[in-house]
Amino acid sequence: MNDYVIAAYAIGLLLLWGYAASMWLECRAVARRHVHVRKTEGGQP
Amino acid sequence: MSGTQSKLVRNFWIALALLFAADLVLIVHYTPDERSMGAIQKIFYLHLPVAINTFLACLTAFVASIAYLWQRKSWWDDLAAAAARVAVQLCAVVLATGMIWGRAAWGVWWTWSPRLTFSLILFLLYVVYLVVRSSVEGRERRAVIGSVYAIIAFLDVPLVWLSARLLPDIHPGSVQLEPAMKLTLAASFVPVTLLAAGLVFTRFVLNRTDSVPRNSAQANPPRDIPTMPLIAGVKAIRYTDGAL
């Protein structure tokens, strides 16, 4: 396989899946935040 | 989010990763090399599907912006912002893969041909959209300004589409493909389109979540929030009757 093709797919897939991974981490942080809010308000987490 | 929903979301992303892997196998082992360009042409199977999905993301932002100005429901604005954010990411992939392809095929990383120039403008327009949104105070004002901007920014999409067809351009306007290449191209659209849809949906859910106050004693969340998300790893975010 040509080096240019490998570079294009590596960069392209990294940009796409990297963004997906960053959102996954953001979702986890949001979930923790909301669980924390529920706990501090005396509700069920 | 229930356990079933969580599993469904997790399975979606796992299936998507497997689809990408299968597509790569198809591109490497099944698809023949193009006669004039050789193996370089295989960048096409990522470049074109991502480019088309960039247009679809821009179209989503455009339609959602019109819908917001019409109905004034905040989730239209959140959808527009989500689609625009994903459009920026997809457009970055289009530009990056295009530049690498250009270097291999034309000998230069960049040339100011009409399609390349309009594509760069499209990327910058949506980057500015995100900057403008983050710099405007007040949710409603931000939504109105963002919607008007997104409608105007979309005008660049037909320019990108038509530029290589109507103007003299080094970038090809259309290509002839063998049946095996057509099959690979069609197969490549599936994982890329599903990924783009998944990204827009996830970003939309996050935008909706951001619009809810961190301390529920401060204010009630908007009434039009749909039952909340989503997302693998998230245990539960469900809003009912304005309370967390």
Side-chain angles (χ1 to χ4, degrees):
Chain A
M1 185 60 70
N2 188 289
D3 286 348
Y4 285 110
V5 180
I6 293 169
Y9 276 88
I11 292 170
L13 294 179
L14 192 69
L15 281 170
L16 293 174
W17 284 95
Y19 183 55
S22 78
M23 278 204 288
W24 179 70
L25 291 172
E26 203 176 333
C27 288
R28 283 176 60 112
V30 168
R32 281 203 201 97
R33 194 176 79 205
H34 284 274
V35 169
H36 175 72
V37 168
R38 284 182 178 192
K39 276 183 179 172
T40 54
E41 289 181 349
Q44 290 297 313
Chain B
M1 187 166 64
S2 71
T4 312
Q5 285 173 314
S6 184
K7 272 184 188 170
L8 198 69
V9 170
R10 194 179 299 122
N11 290 343
F12 169 79
W13 288 104
I14 291 169
L16 196 53
L18 292 174
L19 273 175
F20 264 99
D23 187 43
L24 285 178
V25 170
L26 199 67
I27 291 165
V28 173
H29 294 292
Y30 171 73
T31 316
D33 287 351
E34 205 258 349
R35 285 190 199 115
S36 59
M37 275 190 279
I40 300 293
Q41 185 266 348
K42 291 191 175 184
I43 296 174
F44 179 69
Y45 306 110
L46 180 64
H47 184 74
L48 184 70
V50 175
I52 298 296
N53 276 283
T54 305
F55 297 154
L56 291 177
C58 294
L59 180 66
T60 305
F62 174 71
V63 172
S65 297
I66 292 173
Y68 174 78
L69 292 177
W70 185 21
Q71 297 186 345
R72 298 295 170 133
K73 288 190 174 174
S74 64
W75 66 273
W76 281 120
D77 177 55
D78 287 327
L79 178 61
R85 177 63 187 84
V86 173
V88 166
Q89 200 72 19
L90 294 173
C91 202
V93 174
V94 174
L95 290 173
T97 54
M99 284 171 71
I100 294 168
W101 195 357
R103 178 72 179 86
W106 307 327
V108 289
W109 291 103
W110 184 262
T111 179
W112 295 101
S113 80
R115 176 163 280 185
L116 271 65
T117 306
F118 284 126
S119 299
L120 180 62
I121 290 171
L122 186 73
F123 174 72
L124 295 174
L125 278 170
Y126 282 89
V127 167
V128 171
Y129 170 82
L130 298 176
V131 173
V132 166
R133 281 187 66 89
S134 64
S135 63
V136 176
E137 291 289 332
R139 183 176 172 83
E140 196 169 329
R141 190 160 172 264
R142 178 170 62 236
V144 171
I145 292 172
S147 297
V148 172
Y149 183 95
I151 291 166
I152 296 167
F154 182 76
L155 297 176
D156 190 48
V157 171
L159 292 177
V160 176
W161 181 259
L162 294 171
S163 57
R165 287 173 172 76
L166 302 180
L167 298 169
D169 199 322
I170 192 170
H171 192 289
S174 62
V175 288
Q176 297 292 322
L177 296 174
E178 291 178 19
M181 292 174 169
K182 282 182 184 168
L183 179 69
T184 305
L185 180 62
S188 298
F189 266 99
V190 178
V192 172
T193 306
L194 287 174
L195 179 65
L199 291 177
V200 171
F201 183 61
T202 308
R203 188 69 257 171
F204 168 68
V205 168
L206 282 168
N207 288 349
R208 298 303 295 156
T209 311
D210 283 346
S211 68
V212 176
R214 295 187 181 203
N215 181 353
S216 65
Q218 291 171 356
N220 289 328
R223 280 303 197 123
D224 62 339
I225 288 184
T227 300
M228 276 291 155
L230 205 211
I231 294 71
V234 174
K235 289 176 184 169
I237 312 169
R238 183 180 290 270
Y239 301 92
T240 51
D241 296 329
L244 284 173

